[in-house]
Amino acid sequence: MIYTLPVRLEDGQIFTSLPTNHISFPKVSGYDGNGLRVTNLVGFSNGDFLKKCPNCGRTKCSEAFGLRETVERDQSNCMDCRSQY
């Protein structure tokens, strides 16, 4: 997982610990415990938050996206889509 707890989403959800089961929710953004902007989250499964890539439309774990630490946010597009640039 690339995020630091707590993860606070704009829809009011706050994750102070990792869920123990699979959850899904409408696409939402927010901030992690380090103030890093998190985008396009759609759920949680297998120990990681899930994101939906706006380019290919696939849902993947946050590790498949990476971070843009210079601008303090996660990547919007997955690594597979970014590798096609």
Side-chain angles (χ1 to χ4, degrees):
M1 185 173 81
I2 61 175
Y3 306 124
T4 302
L5 295 174
V7 173
R8 300 175 192 284
L9 302 180
E10 293 170 342
D11 66 0
Q13 293 184 84
I14 300 173
F15 296 93
T16 57
S17 62
L18 297 179
T20 57
N21 56 339
H22 174 83
I23 58 172
S24 61
F25 41 82
K27 186 170 65 172
V28 66
S29 299
Y31 291 89
D32 80 351
N34 289 331
L36 182 82
R37 179 84 170 138
V38 299
T39 58
N40 305 324
L41 296 181
V42 294
F44 186 90
S45 184
N46 297 322
D48 200 357
F49 284 96
L50 302 175
K51 291 178 49 108
K52 186 170 185 176
C53 178
N55 190 52
C56 68
R58 296 188 338 206
T59 298
K60 301 179 179 186
C61 69
S62 66
E63 295 286 339
F65 290 82
L67 299 175
R68 296 179 62 199
E69 293 178 0
T70 57
V71 291
E72 297 181 348
R73 63 170 292 215
D74 58 3
Q75 292 281 356
S76 293
N77 292 340
C78 67
M79 290 182 203
D80 292 336
C81 287
R82 287 197 328 270
S83 70
Q84 296 175 10
Y85 294 166

